[in-house]
């Protein structure tokens, strides 16, 4: 699922912020963001840019320079991140749709509807922090097309389906802040991938190093099936090692049956982890009924890490036992502390 960074959305509500005269808080899907008073009205359609949008340097975005200027490689731009204004958490940016007038054809402009992705028209990219050399590795090929990439939808984008979720039984794991790792065995070929590429085994590459430490090739070959395991690589040299671990470790969160093209259920996953003696991401709850509102969920996501109680946890990942629903709830407290 490709993330829509900037899309047409309807403004669901606009509310006052206690003690603030010139700004208000708008709700767009499950997101809240601060807007100037009078700039938008409830029911307006506007362009909503999510956090992590990397906006190009253009006159119309210059107002972001002081708060958001950032370099991504050689590229300069403005990166949207979570901020707090007058005690109100603010995530993302609303722009009037008219900003697109000189960027797309008139008939396209007239046909714009809610949900349309306009990131490309605005030159908006996803902000990605630099990747250290031990993690980047040497490419063997693109990410295998027989395995889904790891990704999780944010709860704020699930307002429409959220009420239906309340019927299911969920389990909750801690979301770890590291680097996504994929290991597969397919027709006798063992492979190791980072988030987006299949990696050649090379000296010093962290993903291959842990694969060898964990004897994953031997273990996965034992299963006599084409399978894939996915987890989060964390530890020294990765994302600032917030958990202060020694060495590097993988905590697993997915098992995928390549032949059947499906994720294993929680029970099947737990069995494999036990059999292979691998560690899973920390479990917060095994049986969990989700709260009524997304705002309640967001407060619940805040807390300390199970791996290190001195570290703020990144958030939670919520899944039903059959593993057909999966989404993330990132802690705003964590996001506010981010650079
Ligand atoms: P993000 O890190 O915001 O791109 O969120 C999606 C990523 O979270 C996935 O691609 C995984 O690499 C990672 N992740 C970390 N902890 C977990 C977990 N407990 N369950 C599932 N994914 C996780
Ligand atoms: Mn991550």
């Amino acid at each position: 699922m490709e993330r829509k960074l900037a899309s047409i959305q309807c403004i669901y509500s606009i509310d006052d912020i206690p003690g603030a005269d010139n700004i208000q808080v708008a709700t767009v899907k499950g997101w809240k963001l601060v807007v100037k008073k009078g700039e938008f009205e409830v029911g307006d359609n506007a362009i909503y840019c999510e956090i992590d949008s990397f906006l190009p340097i253009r006159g119309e975005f210059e107002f972001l320079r002081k708060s958001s200027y950032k370099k991504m490689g050689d590229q300069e731009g403005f990166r949207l991140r979570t901020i707090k204004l007058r005690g109100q958490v603010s995530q993302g940016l609303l722009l009037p749709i008219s900003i697109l007038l000189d960027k797309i054809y008139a008939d396209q402009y007239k046909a714009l509807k809610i949900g349309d992705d306009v990131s490309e028209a605005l030159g908006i990219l996803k902000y990605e922090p630099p990747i250290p050399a031990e993690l980047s590795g040497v490419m063997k090929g693109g990410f295998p097309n027989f395995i889904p990439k790891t990704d999780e939808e944010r709860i704020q984008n699930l307002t429409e389906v959220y009420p239906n979720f309340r019927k299911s039984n969920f389990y909750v794991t801690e979301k770890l802040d590291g680097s996504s790792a994929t290991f597969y065995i397919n027709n006798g070929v063992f492979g190791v991938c980072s988030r987006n590429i299949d990696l050649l085994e090379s000296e010093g590459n962290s993903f291959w190093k842990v694969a060898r430490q964990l004897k994953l090739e031997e273990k996965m070959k034992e299963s006599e099936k084409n399978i894939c395991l996915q987890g989060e690589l964390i530890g020294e040299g990765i994302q600032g090692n917030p958990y202060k671990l020694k060495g590097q470790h993988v905590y697993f969160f997915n098992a995928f049956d390549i032949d059947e093209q499906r994720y294993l259920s929680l029970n099947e996953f737990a069995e494999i982890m036990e059999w292979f003696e691998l560690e899973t991401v920390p479990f917060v709850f095994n049986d969990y009924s989700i709260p009524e509102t997304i705002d309640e969920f967001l407060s619940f996501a805040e807390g300390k890490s199970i791996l290190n109680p001195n570290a703020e946890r990144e958030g939670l990942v919520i899944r039903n036992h059959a593993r057909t629903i999966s989404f993330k709830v990132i802690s705003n407290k964590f996001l506010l502390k981010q650079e």
Side-chain angles (χ1 to χ4, degrees):
M1 140 196 51
E2 199 52 39
R3 186 166 161 199
K4 283 182 197 172
L5 288 163
S7 61
I8 309 295
Q9 299 297 343
C10 181
I11 301 173
Y12 178 78
S13 65
I14 298 180
D15 299 288
D16 287 332
I17 300 170
D21 296 331
N22 305 318
I23 55 173
Q24 288 177 305
V25 56
T27 304
V28 179
K29 298 196 280 182
W31 299 100
K32 295 206 185 298
L33 73 156
V34 169
V35 291
K36 262 194 229 135
K37 209 172 201 161
E39 210 180 355
F40 297 97
E41 277 178 49
V42 174
D44 278 356
N45 284 354
I47 299 166
Y48 176 65
C49 307
E50 276 189 24
I51 48 171
D52 293 333
S53 292
F54 190 65
L55 288 76
I57 305 271
R58 284 195 192 149
E60 56 224 290
F61 302 136
E62 273 302 319
F63 67 96
L64 292 166
R65 182 170 290 272
K66 215 174 136 196
S67 62
S68 316
Y69 174 83
K70 196 105 184 163
K71 261 185 142 175
M72 180 163 72
D74 294 334
Q75 216 165 346
E76 293 179 291
F78 305 119
R79 177 257 187 130
L80 302 182
R81 61 183 186 87
T82 303
I83 54 171
K84 214 171 195 178
L85 291 164
R86 295 292 191 98
Q88 172 64 52
V89 171
S90 180
Q91 298 183 294
L93 174 70
L94 275 173
L95 298 165
I97 294 183
S98 59
I99 199 172
L100 284 168
L101 265 173
D102 60 345
K103 296 185 179 65
I104 56 177
Y105 294 112
D107 48 342
Q108 278 180 319
Y109 183 82
K110 267 186 240 145
L112 283 174
K113 54 182 192 317
I114 289 177
D116 285 354
D117 189 336
V118 294
S119 316
E120 213 180 289
L122 291 171
I124 295 176
L125 303 171
K126 175 164 186 286
Y127 176 77
E128 304 273 7
I131 307 172
E134 323 84 78
L135 294 180
S136 54
V138 184
M139 184 156 161
K140 177 169 130 192
F143 197 87
N145 56 14
F146 47 85
I147 304 170
K149 284 188 183 178
T150 66
D151 199 10
E152 297 298 332
E153 185 56 275
R154 288 169 190 257
I155 193 175
Q156 288 94 337
N157 292 332
L158 295 171
T159 40
E160 273 173 41
V161 284
Y162 189 77
N164 303 331
F165 288 175
R166 303 204 58 229
K167 297 177 207 108
S168 301
N169 192 16
F170 291 89
Y171 68 97
V172 179
T173 60
E174 178 177 333
K175 187 173 189 298
L176 299 177
D177 184 18
S179 202
S180 166
T182 292
F183 310 92
Y184 66 87
I185 185 93
N186 190 42
N187 301 324
V189 179
F190 175 67
V192 176
C193 314
S194 58
R195 187 163 199 168
N196 294 311
I197 62 170
D198 205 339
L199 297 165
L200 217 53
E201 181 160 18
S202 61
E203 191 70 36
N205 178 262
S206 300
F207 295 96
W208 271 97
K209 211 150 73 190
V210 292
R212 291 306 180 205
Q213 273 165 14
L214 295 171
K215 301 205 173 4
L216 284 178
E217 181 166 11
E218 295 86 325
K219 288 179 182 173
M220 290 172 79
K221 276 186 174 158
E222 256 177 54
S223 86
E224 290 175 356
K225 285 181 85 178
N226 294 323
I227 56 163
C228 152
L229 299 176
Q230 296 177 310
E232 195 77 354
L233 177 68
I234 59 173
E236 287 174 61
I238 305 165
Q239 301 281 70
N241 191 14
Y243 314 101
K244 308 272 177 278
L245 302 178
K246 290 257 177 322
Q248 297 179 333
H249 307 266
V250 183
Y251 290 85
F252 289 88
F253 50 74
N254 278 340
F256 184 76
D257 185 317
I258 294 172
D259 298 316
E260 294 176 20
Q261 287 292 299
R262 67 169 185 98
Y263 290 108
L264 302 194
S265 69
L266 174 60
N267 285 337
E268 295 168 309
F269 169 69
E271 259 174 45
I272 285 212
M273 290 292 110
E274 208 175 294
W275 179 26
F276 289 168
E277 298 183 323
L278 296 173
E279 279 182 290
T280 69
V281 287
F283 273 69
V284 182
F285 286 113
N286 281 315
D287 287 290
Y288 181 69
S289 320
I290 58 176
E292 200 143 331
T293 67
I294 290 178
D295 286 343
E296 281 171 76
F297 221 146
L298 285 167
S299 334
F300 169 58
E302 296 181 1
K304 297 296 178 190
S305 168
I306 293 173
L307 294 186
N308 181 341
N310 293 319
E312 203 60 42
R313 72 171 169 227
E314 184 185 0
L316 304 170
V317 174
I318 319 300
R319 290 173 170 177
N320 63 345
H321 287 232
R323 180 65 179 93
T324 50
I325 304 174
S326 183
F327 59 93
K328 64 184 176 190
V329 187
I330 308 275
S331 155
N332 284 333
K333 203 165 169 191
F334 169 89
L335 288 175
L336 284 166
K337 283 187 180 166
Q338 266 189 332
E339 272 276 295

